[in-house]
Amino acid sequence: MVSGKRGFRLEVRGVRHAFELRGQDLPVLEDVDFVAEPGEFVALLGPSGCGKSTLLRLVAGLEPSSEGSILVDGQPITGTDPSRIIMFQDPTLYPWRTVRANAAVGPEARGTLKRDAARIDAALALVGLADFAAAYPHELSGGMAQRASLARALVNDPHLLMLDEPLGKLDSLTRLAMQRELSALWQRAGFTALLVTHDVEEALLLADRVLVLSDRPARILADLRVETPRPRRRDDPRLVALRSEVLGLLGLAEAA
Amino acid sequence: MNSIAHRIGSANRLDGAASAAGFARPSPPLPVWAGGVVAALVWLAAAGLTHWLPDDDDLGRTDLLALAAAAIGVVILAAVVAVGRRPARRESRIGQLRAAGPWLVALALGLVAWELVTAKYAVLPRPFFVAPQSILEVFTDDWARLGESVLRSLLLVVPGYLLGAAIGFLTGVAMGWSRFVGYWVHPVIRLIGPLPATAWLPVAFFAFSSSRGASTFLIALASFFPVAVLTWSGVSAVGKSYYDVARTMGASPWFLVRKVAVPAAMPSVFVGLFMGLGASFSVLVVAEMMGVRAGLGWYMQWAQGWASYGNMYAALLVLAALCSGAVTLLFRLRDRLLSWQKGLVRW
């Protein structure tokens, strides 16, 4: 079902963004500038509350940026588009829909429900939820709910998949399993992936490049390339060295 | 591919097994339904007492009442035999029947007490307190007029309620969705909403040429307000993330309203429908007493005018059954539509 299509080339050019808080401008993004090549897995790593998630909302087109431009394959984005899908930290499944109906939200919204029926079933099978298609969200565990959310994203065959700390609330065992699944899935599917996380190990385990962001307002402190071949082991000495480097950049050198 | 599927599969089993359907447990046979036996005996005793103890006054239908009580006793006895010792879970039909035992006993005892203080010894003053057989007599002798009143009441309250609920629902959705509608409608609803619909009675009977139109308007108004406010609050409470999810996947505003806002607001809408139902019935009775010369409200007033309190109580009983039936119907509908919700209030 995943077509192996080329991922988007994402360009983020001089993006600034500020929120208005009680009449005052609160800058959250300061001159963020980077390029994600087609099919690349880029992690945005930074302290919580630094504005990483805001950046994803801008790229998704849910909000316009205050300044700067975001280009997808050279075209400036104008709003949301099913080719750019976010997977949120919370599964945000609709509790009144079954797992399958939740996965079908994208096709249903675009009126392609019939045409995409096989694709929906395939996505559920891919995340291991084929047997739970008729279950309601309240009957799922946290990990299963997040898988259902992943299936809902994949059904749209995204060229750019944005992951907003999607594993942040899972228990550590489920988290490890889903990190491997995500990595394998991305390798097969060929979409460009943008992962927001504050987990250094997760970023190093999954991404080709790790962009380390500063505290709010977020700037890019470093652009680290992770060359270690996959599947990666978290105790790989090169990853351990990178981990110390990242923690140093974040001012947590003693924690390494 | 294979290894991925395998990995996903095994991970799935890891966190899936625990939340799968509960363990099936063989249920042991239950003791004979003792509550049913007691209830049957008390009902049969009530029948005997009604039949053999002489009435204080010349009352009709005493034997019919005795017969009815005896029939109930026999039916309960038959149920005891039919249920036997079969295992039953609490939520099953049989489980519910078993749980009803104490109530069946209490009802029979209540009937005995009522019968004693009215028909047998006339402890309570006669015209205002009516013997059970006198109410039974109303049902056997005046069922045609009572039935017509029920029909007239239903023909008035059902269209009025549905109309008000529909307009209230649409208004609530529009208010919750559109800033513009909210801006203009909210103050109006705030001012007019808390006013009891019956306060409009003089205006309504003046503004509408027919009393039927006026009553329909008032009943609609009574159901409109709670439905509109609770739909509005339900739609306003829908999390932004629910919309974001659908928007990123290419949903139109119309899709967001129909498939996100409305389903998410449904639990709240049903609270409004429930509250509107009570308000509609209260307006119905008042309207029938004041202007409409038909229906249960009118029947009650007419009966009171003739000091036939038996008829009044009979109509009251029918009205109670009607309201309770309407609420049950509403809750059934809700259980069906909102089966995805956990921990529903039962009715």
Side-chain angles (χ1 to χ4, degrees):
Chain A
M1 73 133 242
V2 179
S3 57
K5 222 180 292 177
R6 211 183 66 121
F8 277 144
R9 177 184 154 92
L10 172 71
E11 290 174 72
V12 176
R13 294 294 181 207
V15 164
R16 274 165 200 277
H17 197 69
F19 285 128
E20 211 185 88
L21 196 70
R22 295 193 193 90
Q24 281 196 320
D25 270 359
L26 183 74
V28 284
L29 297 174
E30 185 94 356
D31 215 12
V32 175
D33 205 289
F34 71 92
V35 174
E37 294 300 333
E40 202 172 23
F41 199 131
V42 177
L44 300 167
L45 179 72
S48 36
C50 78
K52 312 178 292 274
S53 299
T54 306
L55 185 57
L56 283 200
R57 291 182 66 82
L58 299 182
V59 175
L62 285 167
E63 282 164 47
S65 63
S66 309
E67 224 177 283
S69 54
I70 296 168
L71 301 114
V72 160
D73 278 355
Q75 299 292 315
I77 63 161
T78 54
T80 60
D81 192 280
S83 63
R84 287 175 274 123
I85 296 286
I86 292 197
M87 191 177 155
F88 294 97
Q89 181 174 17
D90 290 309
T92 52
L93 300 171
Y94 297 139
W96 57 89
R97 283 172 172 253
T98 62
V99 167
R100 191 181 187 282
N102 264 292
V105 164
E108 194 179 330
R110 301 189 292 276
T112 60
L113 204 49
K114 261 197 193 132
R115 185 150 33 101
D116 286 339
R119 164 187 287 283
I120 295 162
D121 292 327
L124 286 177
L126 188 71
V127 300
L129 283 181
D131 292 340
F132 288 84
Y136 281 94
H138 72 76
E139 298 168 306
L140 303 180
S141 69
M144 291 160 82
Q146 205 52 279
R147 279 170 222 279
S149 165
L150 179 61
R152 179 180 61 188
L154 293 176
V155 162
N156 301 288
D157 195 14
H159 298 220
L160 173 62
L161 184 63
M162 287 163 277
L163 304 152
D164 189 357
E165 299 187 39
L167 312 181
K169 288 189 175 168
L170 301 181
D171 65 90
S172 54
L173 288 181
T174 312
R175 202 180 158 104
L176 295 184
M178 284 203 65
Q179 281 169 352
R180 304 187 68 170
E181 288 165 31
L182 269 179
S183 186
L185 182 73
W186 164 78
Q187 279 182 286
R188 282 195 325 124
F191 50 74
T192 309
L194 205 53
L195 168 75
V196 155
T197 182
H198 53 233
D199 181 335
V200 181
E201 279 190 1
E202 185 169 286
L204 294 173
L205 214 52
L206 293 175
D208 296 315
R209 274 164 64 205
V210 177
L211 305 180
V212 184
L213 300 180
S214 71
D215 221 335
R216 186 172 43 89
R219 286 172 298 109
I220 295 177
L221 293 177
D223 183 343
L224 304 171
R225 194 160 284 281
V226 187
E227 308 276 12
T228 315
R230 292 176 174 86
R232 293 173 180 164
R233 293 173 57 90
R234 52 193 64 231
D235 53 5
D236 186 300
R238 280 167 295 186
L239 293 190
V240 173
L242 271 173
R243 181 168 172 268
S244 316
E245 189 182 343
V246 171
L247 288 172
L249 283 165
L250 292 170
L252 295 164
E254 67 281 5
Chain B
M1 169 67 211
N2 247 336
S3 72
I4 296 161
H6 174 71
R7 274 205 297 267
I8 292 174
S10 60
N12 176 33
R13 237 167 294 142
L14 216 137
D15 62 349
S19 66
F23 298 101
R25 190 176 18 164
S27 23
L30 295 166
V32 172
W33 183 29
V37 176
V38 176
L41 292 177
V42 180
W43 275 102
L44 289 172
L49 190 132
T50 306
H51 183 69
W52 281 299
L53 216 59
D55 286 342
D56 181 68
D57 197 358
D58 186 24
L59 293 171
R61 308 292 168 200
T62 299
D63 288 339
L64 184 64
L65 181 68
L67 205 61
I72 293 174
V74 169
V75 167
I76 294 174
L77 216 49
V80 170
V81 175
V83 166
R85 305 193 54 200
R86 255 185 295 160
R89 266 187 274 158
R90 287 181 74 86
E91 328 80 71
S92 70
R93 278 273 168 81
I94 294 178
Q96 285 178 341
L97 185 66
R98 279 175 171 273
W103 260 110
L104 292 173
V105 175
L107 282 173
L109 291 175
L111 179 69
V112 169
W114 183 9
E115 181 72 10
L116 288 178
V117 296
T118 55
K120 302 307 180 196
Y121 298 111
V123 180
L124 296 173
R126 186 54 60 75
F128 307 107
F129 292 93
V130 178
Q133 48 264 60
S134 303
I135 291 180
L136 193 62
E137 191 176 11
V138 174
F139 288 122
T140 56
D141 293 11
D142 202 25
W143 60 269
R145 190 162 16 189
L146 206 51
E148 199 205 326
S149 295
V150 170
L151 198 65
R152 296 288 202 102
S153 283
L154 283 176
L155 284 176
L156 200 56
V157 77
V158 170
Y161 173 73
L162 292 180
L163 186 71
I167 297 175
F169 174 76
L170 294 176
T171 309
V173 171
M175 280 169 77
W177 186 255
S178 149
R179 243 164 229 264
F180 176 80
V181 177
Y183 177 83
W184 287 106
V185 178
H186 178 221
V188 177
I189 287 223
R190 248 186 111 117
L191 183 71
I192 292 176
L195 207 62
T198 40
W200 292 94
L201 210 70
V203 183
F205 280 106
F206 166 76
F208 287 84
S209 53
S210 72
S211 61
R212 185 187 165 77
S215 309
T216 304
F217 167 76
L218 289 177
I219 292 164
L221 196 65
S223 67
F224 163 84
F225 176 60
V227 174
V229 169
L230 277 143
T231 304
W232 168 47
S233 111
V235 171
S236 314
V238 179
K240 190 164 164 265
S241 56
Y242 277 2
Y243 295 128
D244 285 346
V245 164
R247 273 175 63 204
T248 53
M249 295 180 192
S252 64
W254 181 229
F255 183 90
L256 295 181
V257 173
R258 261 183 339 119
K259 299 287 182 156
V260 182
V262 167
M266 275 328 267
S268 183
V269 172
F270 268 99
V271 176
L273 287 172
F274 172 68
M275 289 168 61
L277 201 59
S280 287
F281 269 102
S282 94
V283 172
L284 168 78
V285 173
V286 174
E288 284 175 344
M289 286 179 171
M290 305 292 284
V292 189
R293 310 302 305 163
L296 284 169
W298 166 81
Y299 186 97
M300 277 193 278
Q301 220 193 14
W302 166 83
Q304 196 210 3
W306 288 100
S308 9
Y309 289 96
N311 295 61
M312 202 188 76
Y313 289 128
L316 212 54
L317 271 179
V318 172
L319 190 63
L322 222 55
C323 291
S324 163
V327 171
T328 303
L329 211 63
L330 189 65
F331 275 51
R332 283 272 163 80
L333 183 70
R334 184 196 64 168
D335 289 355
R336 175 163 290 212
L337 284 178
L338 304 186
S339 57
W340 52 269
Q341 252 193 330
K342 280 194 295 180
L344 284 175
V345 184
R346 293 273 153 202
W347 176 263

